[in-house]
């Protein structure tokens, strides 16, 4: 375990000029004290790890040191061939490059590992889009992907969605000068995480299917070294979920209704939290839940699918709609 961690530490320091103890601890999933001990162990083993002290200090390898630890274990080789997402690479226009890379890696493998590509491919396949959704690749995705890889500033045309509060509002097209930092594929939908090109601009998320034009300029931008795409996306996704769920409803559900709610609302986390906050069930075994919802209109369509396993208690307007719907259904089926 420690030997693998020491090797990873050397490879991390090869890839970056300097890394702080905090950065290494995060990458290696250990404490900073452990990083200090590991660096000392490497130095004692002859690896020239040097520690720069001070606020701007960190660990680095002296004299362009490179390790010769190039052998791959079977599990490492198999994981390497799982790391690609064929559909996503094809949509970004990188299929040929990925194919060439896989061929080069395959040719370099030891004879005992030649079957690693096929064994990995037959054991894992990623199908990103959700069920009953027709995946559509944005036409401008390859151009955006090229700019992302090349750190090139772009000017884009973007259809801004109408505000939910505004009645009869229509989309309007705007132009933006962006520094494209990274692409995210979420449930079959492509997003661009980018920063406004003007100095001090904020990082924002743009849906690629709303792009109407993409023009890459000659200028390149200097990446913010503190930007972490996975962490940025996770934070924005949580923020988006909080801003969308702006209303609440109080419902009374049976055990069968509670089991259905994650599927009708499409948000297992929200339902799980509501169930954890609920008190004891009543004499009929039903729980009273307070559910965050996008709006009463959305809640009506989602909760109606639960049928008689759910009773709306609040707000009164939504309860009235359910009462009228139940009356209409009774008349229809009588």
């Amino acid at each position: 375990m420690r030997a693998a961690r020491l090797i990873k530490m050397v490879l991390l320091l090869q890839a970056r000029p300097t890394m702080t103890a905090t950065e290494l601890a995060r990458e290696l999933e250990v404490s900073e004290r452990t990083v200090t001990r590991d660096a000392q162990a490497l130095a004692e083993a002859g690896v020239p790890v040097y520690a720069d002290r001070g606020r701007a200090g960190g660990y680095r390898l002296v004299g362009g040191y490179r390790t010769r630890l190039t052998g791959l274990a079977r599990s490492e080789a198999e994981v390497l061939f799982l790391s690609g997402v064929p559909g996503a690479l094809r949509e970004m226009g990188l299929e040929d490059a990925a194919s060439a890379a896989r061929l080069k890696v395959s040719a370099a493998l030891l004879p005992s590992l030649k079957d690693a590509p096929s064994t990995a491919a037959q054991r894992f396949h990623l199908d990103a889009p959700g069920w009953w959704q027709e995946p559509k690749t944005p036409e401008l995705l390859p151009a955006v992907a090229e700019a992302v890889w090349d750190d090139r500033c772009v000017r884009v045309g973007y259809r801004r969605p109408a505000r939910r509060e505004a009645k009869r509002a229509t989309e309007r097209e705007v132009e933006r000068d962006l520094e494209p930092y990274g692409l995210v594929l979420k449930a079959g939908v492509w997003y661009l995480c980018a920063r406004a090109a003007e100095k001090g601009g904020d990082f924002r998320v743009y849906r690629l299917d709303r792009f109407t034009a993409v023009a890459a300029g000659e200028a390149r931008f200097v990446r913010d070294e503190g930007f972490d795409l996975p962490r940025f996306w996770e934070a924005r996704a949580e923020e988006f979920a909080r801003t969308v769920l702006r209303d609440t409803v109080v419902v009374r559900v049976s055990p069968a209704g509670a089991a259905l709610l994650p599927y009708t609302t499409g948000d297992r986390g929200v339902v799980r939290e509501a169930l954890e906050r609920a008190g004891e069930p009543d004499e009929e075994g039903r729980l009273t839940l307070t559910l965050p919802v996008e709006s009463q209109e959305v809640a009506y369509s989602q909760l109606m699918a639960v049928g008689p396993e759910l009773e709306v208690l609040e707000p009164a307007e939504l309860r009235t709609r359910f009462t009228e719907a139940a009356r209409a259904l009774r008349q229809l089926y009588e």
Side-chain angles (χ1 to χ4, degrees):
M1 181 69 177
R2 191 191 186 197
R5 190 175 70 241
L6 292 174
I7 292 172
K8 184 176 180 180
M9 184 174 180
V10 173
L11 294 175
L12 285 170
L13 292 174
Q14 281 185 187
R16 308 180 196 179
T18 303
M19 292 186 70
T20 65
T22 301
E23 291 171 336
L24 284 167
R26 183 171 62 245
E27 291 284 352
L28 299 172
E29 298 180 352
V30 295
S31 66
E32 293 185 24
R33 186 182 297 272
T34 299
V35 168
T36 301
R37 289 198 295 264
D38 286 353
Q40 184 177 356
L42 287 171
E44 292 173 354
V47 178
V49 177
Y50 182 78
D52 291 314
R53 301 188 181 277
R55 293 182 60 185
Y59 292 93
R60 60 186 175 87
L61 294 175
V62 179
Y65 176 85
R66 309 291 295 180
T67 179
R68 292 185 174 85
L69 296 172
T70 56
L72 287 175
R74 169 169 289 278
S75 60
E76 294 169 334
E78 290 175 346
V79 170
L80 180 63
F81 283 94
L82 287 178
S83 61
V85 185
L89 293 172
R90 181 174 58 253
E91 292 176 4
M92 289 189 291
L94 299 173
E95 185 178 24
D96 291 342
S99 177
R102 285 193 294 269
L103 286 173
K104 290 178 181 179
V105 173
S106 297
L109 291 176
L110 294 172
S112 60
L113 302 179
K114 291 297 184 180
D115 63 335
S118 60
T119 56
Q122 294 304 320
R123 285 166 174 77
F124 180 82
H125 175 71
L126 176 64
D127 186 7
W131 289 104
W132 304 291
Q133 295 180 6
E134 184 67 27
K136 295 182 179 178
T137 304
E139 294 182 3
L140 298 173
L141 173 59
V144 175
E146 184 176 352
V148 169
W149 284 111
D150 208 22
D151 292 342
R152 196 177 293 274
C153 296
V154 294
R155 169 164 289 188
V156 303
Y158 188 73
R159 296 194 312 273
R160 293 190 60 179
R163 292 184 177 274
R164 294 179 181 272
E165 298 83 358
K167 295 183 178 179
R168 299 180 182 178
T170 58
E171 294 182 339
R172 62 189 184 92
E173 186 171 330
V174 296
E175 282 193 345
R176 291 286 185 268
D177 291 317
L178 302 176
E179 296 175 351
Y181 268 68
L183 288 164
V184 175
L185 177 60
K186 169 71 171 180
V189 179
W190 284 95
Y191 297 87
L192 173 68
C193 301
R195 183 165 65 179
E198 61 266 18
K199 187 176 182 180
D202 295 330
F203 285 100
R204 296 188 179 183
V205 177
Y206 301 85
R207 278 186 62 140
L208 255 70
D209 56 9
R210 292 187 174 275
F211 281 20
T212 59
V214 175
E218 294 298 324
R220 288 182 169 85
F221 63 93
V222 178
R223 283 182 168 264
D224 182 347
E225 294 184 359
F227 179 80
D228 187 309
L229 180 60
R231 293 189 179 187
F232 171 78
W233 177 258
E234 182 180 1
R236 283 304 174 92
E238 291 178 359
E239 180 184 344
F240 175 75
R242 289 195 300 268
T243 57
V244 167
L245 302 177
R246 293 171 293 181
D247 207 346
T248 58
V249 298
V250 181
V251 299
R252 184 168 165 264
V253 292
S254 68
L260 284 172
L261 275 175
Y263 303 98
T264 60
T265 62
D267 195 328
R268 299 190 179 196
V270 167
V271 175
R272 182 180 63 253
E273 291 175 5
L275 289 170
E276 290 173 352
R277 292 193 302 266
E280 295 296 321
D282 59 20
E283 61 277 4
E284 297 179 6
R286 292 183 173 240
L287 291 170
T288 299
L289 308 179
T290 300
L291 282 174
V293 295
E294 185 174 345
S295 66
Q296 289 191 33
E297 190 65 34
V298 172
Y300 175 78
S301 61
Q302 292 177 339
L303 302 180
M304 181 63 73
V306 185
E309 304 299 330
L310 177 143
E311 176 189 2
V312 174
L313 302 179
E314 297 177 13
E317 296 85 354
L318 185 59
R319 181 178 175 87
T320 299
R321 288 192 66 180
F322 271 75
T323 302
E324 293 172 349
R327 186 180 297 116
L329 282 171
R330 180 177 181 178
Q331 293 175 352
L332 177 65
Y333 283 96
E334 282 182 343

